[in-house]
Amino acid sequence: MMDARSPTLLRTQYETLFRVSQVLSRSLDFQHTLREVLRSLEITGHLTCGMVSVVDPAAGDLTVHAVHGLDAEAFEPVRYQPGEGLLGVLLESKRTIAVARLGDDPRFLNRLGLYDKELPFIAVPIQVGGALQGVLAVQPDQPDDGLLDERVHFVEMVANLIGQS
């Protein structure tokens, strides 16, 4: 349900979508583009710790591909198998996962040491042509304020834009 804070959230989301669409339209370097999308989500969207994982077609698991706030060497070997942790559950179900307080979910593995257990967590599928190709995960920068569903919907829109790119 929308409350008095929702118009501000909507303005923030529109501005962020605009920035994300600009980033996605101007670069052919996928890795750089993803890092810039994650940076935009944090700067204007108040969605921190952005991470994109890509499905490895040979192994069938997720490999962390881009993380905002960590050097590439810090996350390259991180993988999630189907059913393993929150991202592995999404890999199996191909459905969005949203947790109001990350520390309350025992499936959270914290392999990157990046996420705040006191804050919400959102992970959404990135699909291309109806097939799961990856996962976009972010963390709102404030405790759940009753607008988690709105933020989830927004992150799903961003994942759709990434999938179309």
Side-chain angles (χ1 to χ4, degrees):
M1 177 183 264
M2 300 289 229
D3 66 13
R5 294 169 289 179
S6 295
T8 301
L9 178 64
L10 285 174
R11 277 192 300 278
T12 298
Q13 290 176 341
Y14 287 137
E15 174 65 23
T16 304
L17 274 178
F18 177 71
R19 286 180 181 231
V20 166
S21 67
Q22 285 181 314
V23 168
L24 289 171
S25 69
R26 72 174 172 237
S27 175
L28 297 177
D29 178 351
F30 186 61
Q31 185 92 14
H32 174 74
T33 299
L34 288 178
R35 285 194 305 268
E36 286 300 309
V37 166
L38 298 175
R39 184 174 176 269
S40 295
L41 288 174
E42 181 168 13
I43 291 171
T44 59
H46 304 287
L47 298 168
T48 65
C49 306
M51 175 177 64
V52 173
S53 300
V54 177
V55 175
D56 178 342
D61 55 8
L62 282 172
T63 303
V64 175
H65 192 71
V67 178
H68 180 66
L70 289 181
D71 291 330
E73 303 81 40
F75 64 84
E76 281 186 46
V78 177
R79 299 175 82 84
Y80 295 89
Q81 296 177 352
E84 182 180 39
L86 289 171
L87 296 184
V89 169
L90 190 152
L91 180 61
E92 275 187 337
S93 70
K94 299 172 180 51
R95 294 181 182 209
T96 295
I97 293 177
V99 179
R101 186 177 167 276
L102 192 52
D104 292 341
D105 196 313
R107 300 172 295 179
F108 175 61
L109 300 177
N110 200 23
R111 287 191 175 154
L112 293 170
L114 187 67
Y115 296 101
D116 184 336
K117 291 182 180 184
E118 300 301 315
L119 296 176
F121 178 79
I122 301 167
V124 302
I126 299 171
Q127 299 200 21
V128 177
L132 181 68
Q133 296 297 312
V135 174
L136 170 61
V138 295
Q139 187 167 54
D141 65 1
Q142 59 186 328
D144 184 25
D145 56 2
L147 297 173
L148 185 59
D149 288 341
E150 286 82 357
R151 287 184 176 88
V152 167
H153 184 66
F154 172 73
V155 176
E156 290 171 336
M157 286 190 287
V158 172
N160 286 337
L161 287 174
I162 293 170
Q164 290 175 13
S165 296

